[in-house]
Coordinates of all heavy atoms in Angstrom, one line a residue:
Q90 N 75.2 156.8 140.2 CA 76.2 155.8 139.7 C 76.2 155.8 138.2 O 75.0 156.0 137.6 CB 75.8 154.2 140.1 CG 76.8 153.3 139.5 CD 76.2 151.9 139.6 OE1 75.1 151.7 139.6 NE2 77.2 150.9 139.6
T91 N 77.3 156.0 137.5 CA 77.3 156.1 136.1 C 77.9 154.8 135.6 O 79.0 154.3 135.8 CB 78.3 157.3 135.8 OG1 77.8 158.4 136.2 CG2 78.4 157.4 134.2
I92 N 77.2 154.3 134.6 CA 77.6 153.0 133.8 C 77.8 153.3 132.4 O 76.8 153.8 131.6 CB 76.6 152.0 134.0 CG1 76.3 151.6 135.5 CG2 76.9 150.6 133.2 CD1 75.1 150.6 135.7
T93 N 79.0 153.2 132.0 CA 79.4 153.5 130.5 C 79.6 152.1 129.8 O 80.4 151.4 130.3 CB 80.7 154.4 130.5 OG1 80.5 155.5 131.2 CG2 81.0 154.7 129.1
V94 N 78.9 152.0 128.7 CA 79.1 150.9 127.9 C 79.7 151.2 126.5 O 79.1 152.1 125.8 CB 77.5 150.1 127.7 CG1 77.9 148.9 126.8 CG2 77.0 149.9 129.0
E95 N 80.7 150.6 126.2 CA 81.4 150.9 124.8 C 82.1 149.6 124.4 O 83.0 149.0 125.1 CB 82.4 152.0 124.9 CG 83.0 152.5 123.7 CD 83.9 153.7 123.8 OE1 84.2 154.1 124.9 OE2 84.3 154.3 122.7
D96 N 81.6 149.1 123.4 CA 82.0 147.9 122.7 C 83.3 148.2 121.9 O 83.3 148.8 120.8 CB 81.1 147.1 121.8 CG 81.5 145.8 121.3 OD1 82.6 145.4 121.7 OD2 80.8 145.2 120.5
T97 N 84.5 147.7 122.3 CA 85.8 148.0 121.7 C 86.4 146.8 121.2 O 87.6 146.8 120.7 CB 86.7 148.7 122.6 OG1 87.0 147.9 123.8 CG2 86.1 150.2 123.0
T98 N 85.7 145.6 121.3 CA 86.4 144.3 121.0 C 85.8 143.8 119.8 O 84.5 143.6 119.6 CB 86.1 143.3 122.1 OG1 86.7 143.7 123.3 CG2 86.8 142.0 121.8
A99 N 86.6 143.6 118.7 CA 86.3 143.1 117.4 C 85.9 141.6 117.6 O 86.3 140.8 118.5 CB 87.4 143.3 116.4
P100 N 85.2 141.0 116.6 CA 84.8 139.7 116.6 C 86.0 138.8 116.4 O 87.1 139.3 115.9 CB 83.7 139.6 115.5 CG 84.0 140.7 114.5 CD 84.5 141.8 115.5
T101 N 86.0 137.5 116.6 CA 87.0 136.6 116.3 C 86.5 135.4 115.5 O 85.4 135.0 115.6 CB 87.7 136.1 117.6 OG1 86.6 135.4 118.4 CG2 88.3 137.1 118.4
F102 N 87.4 134.9 114.6 CA 87.0 133.7 113.7 C 87.0 132.5 114.6 O 87.9 132.3 115.5 CB 87.9 133.6 112.6 CG 87.8 134.8 111.6 CD1 88.7 135.7 111.4 CD2 86.8 134.7 110.6 CE1 88.5 136.7 110.5 CE2 86.5 135.7 109.7 CZ 87.5 136.7 109.5
V103 N 86.1 131.7 114.2 CA 86.0 130.4 114.9 C 87.0 129.3 114.4 O 87.7 128.6 115.2 CB 84.5 129.8 114.9 CG1 84.5 128.5 115.6 CG2 83.5 130.7 115.6
E104 N 87.0 129.2 113.1 CA 87.8 128.1 112.5 C 89.3 128.4 112.3 O 89.6 129.7 112.5 CB 87.3 127.8 111.1 CG 85.8 127.2 111.1 CD 84.8 128.3 111.3 OE1 85.0 129.5 111.2 OE2 83.6 127.9 111.5
V105 N 90.0 127.5 112.1 CA 91.6 127.7 111.7 C 91.6 128.4 110.4 O 90.9 128.1 109.5 CB 92.3 126.4 111.6 CG1 93.7 126.6 111.2 CG2 92.2 125.6 112.9
L106 N 92.3 129.5 110.4 CA 92.4 130.4 109.2 C 93.2 129.8 108.1 O 94.4 129.3 108.4 CB 92.9 131.7 109.6 CG 92.0 132.5 110.7 CD1 92.7 133.8 111.1 CD2 90.6 132.7 110.2
P107 N 92.7 129.7 106.9 CA 93.5 129.3 105.8 C 94.9 130.1 105.6 O 94.8 131.2 105.5 CB 92.6 129.3 104.6 CG 91.6 130.3 105.0 CD 91.5 130.3 106.5
T108 N 95.9 129.3 105.4 CA 97.1 130.0 105.1 C 97.6 130.2 103.7 O 96.9 129.6 102.8 CB 98.4 129.1 105.7 OG1 98.4 127.8 105.2 CG2 98.1 129.0 107.2
D109 N 98.5 131.0 103.4 CA 99.0 131.2 102.0 C 99.5 129.9 101.4 O 100.2 129.1 102.1 CB 100.1 132.2 102.0 CG 99.4 133.6 102.4 OD1 98.3 133.8 102.5 OD2 100.3 134.5 102.6
V110 N 99.3 129.6 100.2 CA 99.7 128.4 99.6 C 100.1 128.7 98.2 O 99.6 129.6 97.6 CB 98.6 127.2 99.7 CG1 98.4 126.7 101.0 CG2 97.3 127.7 98.9
T111 N 100.9 127.8 97.6 CA 101.3 127.7 96.1 C 100.8 126.4 95.6 O 101.2 125.4 96.2 CB 102.8 127.9 95.9 OG1 103.1 129.3 96.5 CG2 103.1 127.9 94.5
V112 N 99.9 126.4 94.5 CA 99.4 125.1 94.0 C 99.4 125.2 92.5 O 99.7 126.1 91.9 CB 97.9 125.1 94.5 CG1 97.8 125.0 96.0 CG2 97.1 126.2 94.0
E113 N 99.3 123.9 92.1 CA 99.2 123.6 90.6 C 97.9 124.2 90.2 O 96.8 124.2 90.9 CB 99.4 122.3 90.1 CG 100.7 121.7 90.0 CD 101.3 122.2 88.7 OE1 100.7 122.0 87.6 OE2 102.4 122.9 88.8

Side-chain angles (χ1 to χ4, degrees):
Q90 178 192 28
T91 300
I92 301 174
T93 303
V94 180
E95 187 173 10
D96 183 3
T97 60
T98 303
T101 57
F102 289 105
V103 175
E104 296 78 12
V105 175
L106 300 180
T108 58
D109 297 344
V110 290
T111 299
V112 297
E113 275 285 307

